[in-house]
Amino acid sequence: MTTKNQELTAWVSDVAKHTQPQKVVWCDGSEEEYQQIVDLMLNDGSLSSLNSDTHPDCYLHLSDPQDVARVEHLTFICSDDPATVGDNNNWMPVADAKEKMNDLYQDCMKGRTMYVIPYCMGPIDSPYSRCGVEITDSPYVVINMKLMTRMGTKALSRIEAEGSFVKGLHSIGELDPDRRFIMHFPEELSIMSYGSGYGGNALLGKKCHALRIASWQARKEGWLAEHMLILGLESPEGETHYIAAAFPSACGKTNLAMLIPPEKYKDWKVWTLGDDIAWLHKDTTGLMRAINPEAGYFGVVPGTNAKTNRNAYDMIQQNTIFTNVGTTADNQPWWEDKKVGQPETDWKGNDYDANAGPAAHPNSRFTVSATENKAYSSLAEAAEGVPITAIVFGGRRRELAPLVYQAKSWEHGVMIGAGVASETTAAATGQVGIVRRDPMAMKPFCGYNFADYWAHWLSFAERTGTLPKIFHVNWFRQDDDGKFLWPGFGENLRVLQWIIKRCKGEVGANETAIGYLPCDDDIDIEGLDIDPAVWQSLITIDDQQWRQEMDEFGEYLESYGDRLPDKLREQHQQVRAALG
Ligand code: OXD
Ligand code: MN
């Protein structure tokens, strides 16, 4: 396969000259091609088959033990204008970054196959979708991209018709952490990634394209590229509302997107549209509509079981690539909190030894096509996307943030989003469990200066139309002994119901300095084992803690200097003043 697009032909040939692969393969995205690459990897040992009776067409890949997560300290936005990039990103001038990367890429594919992967982010016929081409020397990347994107011939046709695409060049290099960089060049819509095979660093359609490059494009073109799940909540009467929710990495977006209603609400349904990324556009009638640019899930495995996420658990019984989990004696995948079976080997391929750490790496992943999910929404493929009723921000906070509260206005909601802070997780290398500021859950993913990003968010209020209402949730409050105060998982439906009732104006709320909190009886907690005092603490705020939080948040906002939008500063001041 080749292409009519001359820019693509020239780029592929330049890259091949520079990297010297043994051969070049243009990927068509077919099932046969997927199977061929799987077979090749089974032969060279980079993939192994799992138990084909219990897990048909499931494979296990064990990565280099030093290549298991996103590397934020090695991820850069490259532009000649550092102010546009902002202090929220690592910055490098374009020429320096190119020189560094071109040195690394020199002859790096010798003896390897260079794959050319055309892909489309979003439904193939949606005006909101955008295409890219990833060049890679990793067969693992090819099979993951097949599950995660609309990849191959159709994407290439769209590129040929449109003429524009994001260029992503990836090589695993030597998998040496000292020779590893993930560089973004938003002005020229290109990405250069070297030295890692881990999803977030190597599947360039995902974080690199659909968030960092797309957020930059979205600002220019008047839309939003966000780290959000999208779900549809259908009532027993058949009314469906769509919610987009932004939580930091490994904070339960996949679980919420696939929520199974508890017994008491079994007539309700949750439909999944996406579990990680949403592209939001105002349509011609002024409604905000969302598409999920992805076609699959690259989810955290540990903790997934029949109780926490039945849909995910069932969906990964077949046609799934597992990365860095353990195995049982009969070669089934095994991970912590799976609740069935015993590990025999760990994620490094060694015999399992409880003293040597977990069987599955805490950031071990499944890759699976979205169509395997029983709750996959038929509208996930709709070119026009779905209308969004509510936007929800959230973080992992042991204390402070109540279970749920609502913003008083769009501007206030933008401030609440900018104020998201969360305990760090294993999704990125670095210390786990420390609270860091993660505005809109986009700290690792916003491709430009946060101050300009907030201004862009605020600008949506000036466009006509009905904006979604904005909320904040926290499923992760704990008592002094570390016990979670709220049961979470399926029971989160009760909170989603309150959110929709608020959007429809069906219930009142307690107005507080930080926003509208639920009145005592407006969230149904019947049947839950929650002490009344604990319930009160979940739906009230501690002014003293909040004064401290808002002071710290204020200092953070001011670190953006003159670029910080006045409207955001005013919102912050109003809340701080109301706290006394
Ligand atoms: C992810 C992440 O993999 O946020 O989605 O790290
Ligand atoms: Mn994510």
Side-chain angles (χ1 to χ4, degrees):
M1 196 163 77
T2 48
T3 177
K4 295 192 284 228
N5 184 300
Q6 286 178 2
E7 193 186 340
L8 178 53
T9 309
W11 176 56
V12 169
S13 124
D14 286 351
V15 171
K17 262 192 217 124
H18 190 60
T19 60
Q20 290 294 311
Q22 196 174 43
K23 62 174 177 176
V24 178
V25 170
W26 287 72
C27 297
D28 62 13
S30 63
E31 298 303 325
E32 296 73 40
E33 176 183 81
Y34 178 84
Q35 205 49 55
Q36 267 168 21
I37 297 181
V38 163
D39 290 344
L40 185 140
M41 292 179 72
L42 291 172
N43 277 333
D44 74 13
S46 54
L47 210 60
S48 60
S49 289
L50 288 163
N51 185 322
S52 59
D53 294 329
T54 58
H55 290 76
D57 299 309
C58 287
Y59 305 102
L60 172 62
H61 172 74
L62 301 184
S63 78
D64 182 289
Q66 298 212 69
D67 185 30
V68 291
R70 285 184 291 99
V71 281
E72 293 178 10
H73 60 298
L74 302 173
T75 299
F76 287 77
I77 305 293
C78 309
S79 160
D80 290 334
D81 178 18
T84 309
V85 171
D87 288 346
N88 45 304
N89 283 300
N90 299 316
W91 165 76
M92 206 180 282
V94 171
D96 294 8
K98 290 231 169 119
E99 195 186 319
K100 197 181 264 304
M101 297 309 280
N102 284 332
D103 280 355
L104 291 170
Y105 286 127
Q106 183 74 53
D107 299 342
C108 72
M109 297 191 191
K110 266 205 167 136
R112 298 181 184 168
T113 300
M114 179 176 120
Y115 298 95
V116 181
I117 311 171
Y119 63 86
C120 177
M121 300 311 289
I124 197 84
D125 54 352
S126 170
Y128 303 139
S129 300
R130 293 284 187 280
C131 290
V133 177
E134 174 163 358
I135 295 180
T136 181
D137 55 9
S138 162
Y140 171 80
V141 165
V142 181
I143 57 173
N144 276 271
M145 286 291 281
K146 158 80 176 152
L147 300 177
M148 295 300 297
T149 70
R150 284 96 175 161
M151 152 188 161
T153 314
K154 281 194 181 153
L156 186 59
S157 303
R158 185 168 165 154
I159 289 171
E160 287 171 342
E162 283 180 347
S164 78
F165 62 98
V166 170
K167 295 189 183 85
L169 174 54
H170 170 253
S171 169
I172 53 169
E174 308 79 23
L175 293 175
D176 174 356
D178 292 332
R179 287 165 58 82
R180 180 173 293 165
F181 287 103
I182 324 295
M183 303 281 192
H184 303 75
F185 305 87
E187 279 132 342
E188 41 185 84
L189 303 184
S190 78
I191 304 156
M192 289 179 158
S193 167
Y194 189 91
S196 168
Y198 171 75
N201 305 324
L203 310 179
L204 301 185
K206 190 173 181 62
K207 304 300 187 182
C208 300
H209 177 164
L211 287 174
R212 299 194 190 96
I213 299 285
S215 60
W216 181 295
Q217 275 183 302
R219 178 183 174 221
K220 254 182 43 195
E221 298 170 10
W223 50 284
L224 291 165
E226 297 300 322
H227 193 204
M228 290 177 175
L229 66 89
I230 312 164
L231 64 80
L233 178 60
E234 185 181 333
S235 71
E237 294 75 43
E239 186 178 300
T240 305
H241 285 274
Y242 296 93
I243 296 175
F247 308 150
S249 306
C251 284
K253 284 199 297 300
T254 307
N255 289 344
L256 188 63
M258 296 178 190
L259 182 151
I260 298 201
E263 188 52 27
K264 183 168 180 199
Y265 291 101
K266 61 178 183 331
D267 296 339
W268 289 70
K269 287 197 188 82
V270 171
W271 299 107
T272 318
L273 286 103
D275 78 331
D276 196 42
I277 301 179
W279 285 355
L280 305 169
H281 288 257
K282 277 257 184 125
D283 71 9
T284 45
T285 69
L287 276 182
M288 193 173 261
R289 307 190 76 90
I291 62 160
N292 170 18
E294 300 193 280
Y297 310 116
F298 179 68
V300 177
V301 187
T304 307
N305 62 48
K307 259 196 151 154
T308 55
N309 191 338
R310 175 94 237 177
N311 284 331
Y313 189 72
D314 288 350
M315 118 189 137
I316 60 178
Q317 303 297 314
Q318 59 284 308
N319 301 325
T320 301
I321 303 169
F322 289 90
T323 303
N324 292 342
V325 297
T327 56
T328 60
D330 65 346
N331 202 27
Q332 298 192 43
W334 196 90
W335 53 87
E336 275 59 31
D337 255 341
K338 184 178 182 187
K339 306 282 188 210
V340 284
Q342 291 297 327
E344 168 105 343
T345 63
D346 71 9
W347 67 276
K348 292 184 183 160
N350 298 326
D351 289 347
Y352 174 67
D353 168 5
N355 299 319
H361 186 276
N363 193 35
S364 51
R365 298 282 176 147
F366 56 74
T367 317
V368 62
S369 162
T371 53
E372 297 289 339
N373 172 11
K374 280 199 299 281
Y376 187 53
S377 164
S378 54
L379 289 185
E381 295 295 332
E384 68 282 11
V386 291
I388 296 297
T389 302
I391 288 178
V392 180
F393 293 111
R396 185 185 284 271
R397 297 294 300 256
R398 249 166 263 242
E399 40 188 34
L400 185 85
L403 181 62
V404 58
Y405 61 104
Q406 182 188 356
K408 296 180 183 175
S409 63
W410 178 260
E411 290 81 356
H412 180 215
V414 174
M415 188 215 73
I416 289 174
V420 169
S422 190
E423 290 158 31
T424 49
T425 66
T429 49
Q431 207 185 333
V432 168
I434 47 166
V435 175
R436 77 158 177 183
R437 305 229 72 91
D438 193 351
M440 277 81 172
M442 283 286 278
K443 166 73 187 73
F445 309 121
C446 180
Y448 62 101
N449 193 318
F450 260 150
D452 300 341
Y453 169 74
W454 297 321
H456 183 50
W457 262 84
L458 289 164
S459 76
F460 281 78
E462 281 136 38
R463 303 166 204 224
T464 52
T466 332
L467 284 160
K469 302 275 185 274
I470 300 183
F471 296 80
H472 186 282
V473 298
N474 177 20
W475 315 133
F476 299 98
R477 282 278 290 275
Q478 291 175 25
D479 65 15
D480 293 342
D481 301 326
K483 182 174 168 279
F484 286 104
L485 301 184
W486 174 250
F489 302 107
E491 307 299 350
N492 291 335
L493 180 85
R494 300 171 190 252
V495 176
L496 298 184
Q497 285 176 333
W498 182 78
I499 287 175
I500 298 303
K501 280 191 202 154
R502 285 292 299 164
C503 291
K504 292 171 73 179
E506 288 177 0
V507 284
N510 286 326
E511 182 165 358
T512 73
I514 67 160
Y516 298 119
L517 270 83
C519 299
D520 226 356
D521 297 329
D522 284 340
I523 295 186
D524 173 24
I525 54 164
E526 199 196 79
L528 300 181
D529 182 19
I530 298 188
D531 184 89
V534 168
W535 177 239
Q536 276 314 306
S537 73
L538 284 170
I539 56 166
T540 47
I541 58 164
D542 177 331
D543 284 3
Q544 176 48 34
Q545 278 186 352
W546 270 96
R547 279 193 285 273
Q548 193 182 331
E549 169 74 7
M550 290 309 281
D551 287 345
E552 281 168 26
F553 177 38
E555 273 172 39
Y556 172 72
L557 287 178
E558 287 312 326
S559 73
Y560 288 86
D562 291 348
R563 261 177 130 102
L564 184 73
D566 286 339
K567 277 197 192 131
L568 199 56
R569 189 176 280 119
E570 280 159 24
Q571 286 296 326
H572 174 267
Q573 282 164 357
Q574 269 174 34
V575 174
R576 181 61 189 87
L579 284 162

